[in-house]
Amino acid sequence: MVKTVLKIDGMACGMCEAHVNETVRSFCRVKKVTSSYKTGECTVLSEEPLDTEGLKSAVSDTGYRVTGVSVSDAPESTGFFARLFGKRE
């Protein structure tokens, strides 16, 4: 899994978060996307690395300003159900 975090300026409410999330979902295939206007971040989990330049452009086209992007490997889930039904060695 790949974790992509966008720093976004201009989100001011829950509807802004939803707007950013929908833009990300329509631009690329993701496992999970969450946004927070309080932290000014959008976190995207995906199977493959994303086209970050294209994603920045798509979000910017909706009226928000992307001020930074970071990409890292997402840690494997260690929750209760992941332990029960996850990968077995």
Side-chain angles (χ1 to χ4, degrees):
M1 292 283 270
V2 178
K3 179 179 177 180
T4 305
V5 178
L6 303 171
K7 287 290 201 177
I8 300 175
D9 189 30
M11 291 190 294
C13 64
M15 288 303 293
C16 294
E17 295 169 349
H19 195 209
V20 169
N21 291 346
E22 184 59 33
T23 299
V24 170
R25 283 188 196 101
S26 66
F27 178 77
C28 53
R29 175 175 270 165
V30 299
K31 291 293 241 176
K32 183 177 181 181
V33 58
T34 57
S35 295
S36 170
Y37 73 90
K38 291 179 182 178
T39 62
E41 291 184 346
C42 175
T43 303
V44 183
L45 296 178
S46 59
E47 292 289 337
E48 301 293 326
L50 303 177
D51 171 10
T52 56
E53 289 304 313
L55 186 55
K56 285 170 46 177
S57 178
V59 171
S60 295
D61 288 348
T62 62
Y64 303 98
R65 189 167 64 98
V66 179
T67 60
V69 177
S70 66
V71 179
S72 63
D73 290 331
E76 291 293 323
S77 177
T78 58
F80 178 74
F81 289 106
R83 286 190 294 257
L84 287 178
F85 304 109
K87 295 179 184 176
R88 297 178 190 239
E89 296 179 14

